[in-house]
Amino acid sequence: MATINPPKTTSTSALFDDLPTEKWINLANLYQWKGFWYRRPHLEAVMEARSSFKARDEDVILASSMKTGTTWLKALIPSIMDPNARIVENSTYNILDMPSPRLFRTHMPYAMLPDSIKTSGCKIVYITRDPKDTVLSLWHFMNSIRKPEERPFPLNEFFESFCKGLHPFGPFHDHVLGYWKESMMRPEKILFLRYEDMKRDTSGQVKKLASFLGRPFAKEEEVAKVVWMCSFERLKNLEVNKNGVEPDAGFPKSAYFRLGVVGDWKNSLSMEMKKQLDEITCNKLEGSGLDLLN
Ligand code: A3P
């Protein structure tokens, strides 16, 4: 599955001098553009995509914040669309040459998506998750890709930064709300999934996903096969995921398969942290009809 990352055609460097910037957990500078925070290469890719990406009606776009279950959907969608399809892993692959249906993934906020994605007949699948598990998963992920001699990021600082919305593609809640509101208005265009529902009723959610993609299952055995093929236990133990490297960012693939459960935040976040983040979530989502808390 390719990233929406067309080749660069114009220089955007002048623009960066004028954008608000903040240091993220002593790791990278983030730039704020139209309400969301990005690392510079990500923002450059967003800008390029907005100016040059042309969606086709048959395209499927997997959208998400970081650490909400993207990897799971990245396995499920191709398995449903074409069980024999080879997943395109390399973002330098020429997307114009890709045969339809093209499968893309992105962390772009809804408002930032190229217009042709919004106006064409292509479909968007969005996955999200309780922000408490999301922030903890992100913290573990960022620690797991550090050098062995480096210490873990202080959880308190990491958490505070997340609560302020200062993280790549943040604020988390604004990201979620953009897709949620659009999915309410255009359910045939955007399927909104929650990681917790996927864990609780995997078969039911996978059937819903397949119907949304226009590939409903004919037999229960087919559902069971796809669920098993894409299960955490199976994927985590594949040789390629134990020892391979993710081609876009260069991260070890094993970092994408940690625990795969709901509610692991209870083992690391304090009750004060839970209260603080739950309050933010309730305030932000109030009146939206969306519930993200577990
Ligand atoms: P944890 O860190 O809580 O274990 P993303 O794919 O968006 O980066 O999200 C990563 C999270 O999804 C991690 O959560 C990871 O373990 C979990 N995950 C990855 N593959 C999964 C699968 N097939 N089934 C369930 N969870 C999965």
Side-chain angles (χ1 to χ4, degrees):
M1 188 176 284
T3 48
I4 300 177
N5 201 0
K8 277 188 73 148
T9 52
T10 53
S11 166
T12 47
S13 31
L15 187 115
F16 282 87
D17 299 339
D18 297 330
L19 294 180
T21 179
E22 291 262 2
K23 196 95 182 158
W24 179 51
I25 52 156
N26 213 15
L27 180 78
N29 281 331
L30 297 186
Y31 294 85
Q32 192 182 40
W33 193 59
K34 297 182 189 277
F36 288 91
W37 293 99
Y38 306 86
R39 295 179 78 161
R40 185 171 175 147
H42 295 153
L43 183 49
E44 286 174 343
V46 169
M47 290 175 175
E48 276 304 312
R50 279 165 64 84
S51 63
S52 63
F53 183 79
K54 293 279 171 285
R56 295 181 196 154
D57 288 342
E58 307 76 27
D59 288 347
V60 177
I61 317 283
L62 165 58
S64 60
S65 281
M66 293 173 75
K67 303 295 126 199
T68 56
T70 322
T71 309
W72 197 359
L73 266 299
K74 223 177 104 183
L76 282 168
I77 293 173
S79 306
I80 291 169
M81 295 298 290
D82 177 0
N84 302 314
R86 200 178 126 260
I87 300 175
V88 177
E89 284 283 8
N90 190 339
S91 64
T92 58
Y93 190 88
N94 187 350
I95 56 178
L96 295 177
D97 293 342
M98 285 167 69
S100 290
R102 302 181 302 179
L103 312 180
F104 294 102
R105 65 188 161 88
T106 185
H107 290 313
M108 280 186 225
Y110 180 78
M112 298 303 124
L113 290 177
D115 282 343
S116 69
I117 293 184
K118 296 175 183 169
T119 55
S120 70
C122 77
K123 296 200 170 190
I124 301 173
V125 178
Y126 185 76
I127 175 123
T128 192
R129 187 180 194 185
D130 185 320
K132 300 191 291 302
D133 278 333
T134 306
V135 64
L136 194 69
S137 180
L138 184 59
W139 180 67
H140 280 293
F141 180 78
M142 296 314 296
N143 286 329
S144 74
I145 58 175
R146 296 204 99 188
K147 297 194 192 87
E149 65 274 18
E150 291 176 321
R151 293 156 65 96
F153 295 106
L155 179 57
N156 276 353
E157 283 172 35
F158 197 93
F159 178 82
E160 283 303 324
S161 192
F162 186 88
C163 287
K164 279 191 240 156
L166 186 68
H167 55 96
F169 308 98
F172 174 85
H173 298 88
D174 295 341
H175 199 286
V176 173
L177 278 173
Y179 284 94
W180 170 252
K181 287 179 182 163
E182 202 57 31
S183 76
M184 290 286 96
M185 286 186 288
R186 294 201 290 164
E188 72 295 343
K189 171 81 178 175
I190 303 185
L191 179 67
F192 190 99
L193 298 171
R194 299 183 332 146
Y195 184 86
E196 293 76 14
D197 296 334
M198 298 277 303
K199 290 291 295 188
R200 185 178 41 80
D201 176 22
T202 311
S203 299
Q205 295 294 303
V206 167
K207 281 192 228 173
K208 188 162 100 174
L209 174 63
S211 297
F212 173 76
L213 295 172
R215 305 280 205 284
F217 291 104
K219 298 186 201 135
E220 280 299 318
E221 304 89 81
E222 291 172 10
V223 186
K225 189 174 170 202
V226 167
V227 168
W228 170 76
M229 291 277 293
C230 302
S231 66
F232 180 83
E233 292 70 24
R234 181 177 171 274
L235 293 181
K236 184 183 169 80
N237 289 310
L238 291 180
E239 195 53 36
V240 62
N241 289 332
K242 283 205 268 190
N243 296 311
V245 172
E246 207 264 330
D248 290 326
F251 299 143
K253 284 186 178 243
S254 57
Y256 291 84
F257 302 90
R258 189 181 66 93
L259 216 52
V261 300
V262 171
D264 183 47
W265 62 266
K266 291 177 189 141
N267 296 317
S268 300
L269 300 190
S270 67
M271 274 302 130
E272 288 72 34
M273 287 167 150
K274 172 208 183 299
K275 196 163 164 276
Q276 181 182 347
L277 189 45
D278 279 355
E279 260 174 38
I280 295 172
T281 303
C282 289
N283 288 338
K284 285 270 198 175
L285 302 189
E286 191 182 357
S288 69
L290 176 62
D291 180 8
L292 284 186
L293 303 183
N294 70 63

